[in-house]
Amino acid sequence: MKPGEALVLKLDLSVPVEVIYNRTGAAGPSSVQICTVDGGSLQCKPDYTQRSSLLSGLELRGLTESEGGVYTVRDIRTKEVVHTCTVTVQ
């Protein structure tokens, strides 16, 4: 992806999920929950609130080079990984 582009993560809106971001090449713990989706309700960390929307999936707009990494969609109840997306922004 190029800087400024949007990432769209497909979601099954019938189950509550969390979106976890793990930065590539970061030193130390770098895994952080950035959003949760429960039905039509989207809750995101402040850094992502203005750049996120819920359409047919979760859209994260305006990605920067520092946001390359692995985005994981995980079922909140079972902790089962639903979807993983590796992103390179350059």
Side-chain angles (χ1 to χ4, degrees):
M1 302 184 79
K2 295 183 186 305
E5 289 185 338
L7 170 65
V8 179
L9 298 170
K10 293 182 181 181
L11 301 177
D12 176 359
L13 298 179
S14 67
V15 296
V17 296
E18 59 185 346
V19 178
I20 300 165
Y21 167 58
N22 189 5
R23 186 184 328 229
T24 303
S30 62
S31 184
V32 62
Q33 180 192 72
I34 59 172
C35 295
T36 60
V37 180
D38 190 353
S41 174
L42 172 64
Q43 299 293 319
C44 293
K45 299 284 184 192
D47 290 350
Y48 292 89
T49 300
Q50 297 298 318
R51 301 187 298 138
S52 301
S53 58
L54 191 59
L55 304 168
S56 59
L58 173 64
E59 180 181 47
L60 300 173
R61 295 178 299 279
L63 289 182
T64 65
E65 288 183 12
S66 66
E67 292 177 308
V70 178
Y71 291 79
T72 302
V73 178
R74 188 168 70 178
D75 185 310
I76 290 175
R77 293 175 290 188
T78 66
K79 301 300 183 192
E80 179 182 343
V81 173
V82 177
H83 179 74
T84 302
C85 181
T86 302
V87 176
T88 302
V89 182
Q90 55 184 7

